[in-house]
């Protein structure tokens, strides 16, 4: 499924340019337009899934692929000493783009704590 108005569907269809680092039938990866770490790319499913709230058994293979690809792509992008994988879901997590995506963020320096402590 693809959404005509969704920005990541448009990237998947090639209608909007992105610095792609992986592309296959199920998933693609491209650099985040506003990087928050020296390595910062997004892994997205080709299918339009709004968030993990909307994921079902039909998406299992593609979502597994996101996890399996993350380490290899992180290493290839230069994050050889650790990285963080983040999926923001919904309002509380400040999800901006409602097309499921996994952020991969990496060093070389420490990324700091997972969340700022209050
Ligand atoms: P979210 O807050 O939804 O987890 O993250 C959305 C991410 O998508 C943000 O980090 C933002 O910089 C990135 N982003 C938004 N629009 C574009 C775009 O058109 N191209 C690329 N490469 N990244 C984008
Ligand atoms: Zn989409």
């Amino acid at each position: 499924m693809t959404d005509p108005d969704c920005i990541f569907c448009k990237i998947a269809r090639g209608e909007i340019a992105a610095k792609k680092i992986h592309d296959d039938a199920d998933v693609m990866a491209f650099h985040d337009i506003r990087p928050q770490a020296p390595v910062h790319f997004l892994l997205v499913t080709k299918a339009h899934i709004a968030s993990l709230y909307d994921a079902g058994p039909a998406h299992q293979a593609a979502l597994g692929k996101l996890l399996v690809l993350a380490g290899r792509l992180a290493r290839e992008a230069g994050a050889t000493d650790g990285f963080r994988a983040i999926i923001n879901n919904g309002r509380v997590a400040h999800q901006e783009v409602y097309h499921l995506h996994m952020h991969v963020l990496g060093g070389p320096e420490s990324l700091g704590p997972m969340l700022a402590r209050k």
Side-chain angles (χ1 to χ4, degrees), residues 8 12 28 41 66 77 82:
F8 289 171
M28 68 187 290
F41 62 85
L66 290 193

Side-chain angles (χ1 to χ4, degrees), residues 7-8 30-33 42 88 94-97 101 103:
I7 195 149
F8 289 171
F30 49 86
H31 291 285
D32 196 290
I33 205 164
L42 305 173
N88 294 316
H94 294 230
Q95 184 176 0
E96 285 174 22
V97 177
H101 53 281
H103 295 260

Side-chain angles (χ1 to χ4, degrees), residues 2-3 6-10 47-49 98-99:
T2 180
D3 178 330
C6 165
I7 195 149
F8 289 171
C9 284
K10 286 182 182 175
H48 180 84
I49 311 167
Y98 277 78
H99 177 128

Side-chain angles (χ1 to χ4, degrees), residues 9-66:
C9 284
K10 286 182 182 175
I11 289 175
R13 289 194 300 267
E15 294 167 17
I16 291 181
K19 287 191 198 163
K20 266 190 250 177
I21 56 174
H22 179 86
D23 194 1
D24 68 40
D26 306 310
V27 302
M28 68 187 290
F30 49 86
H31 291 285
D32 196 290
I33 205 164
R34 286 183 286 132
Q36 295 184 53
V39 173
H40 186 180
F41 62 85
L42 305 173
L43 269 156
V44 310
T45 55
K46 285 281 179 81
H48 180 84
I49 311 167
S51 77
L52 284 177
Y53 283 127
D54 306 285
H59 305 122
Q60 205 160 301
L63 292 177
K65 215 173 202 181
L66 290 193

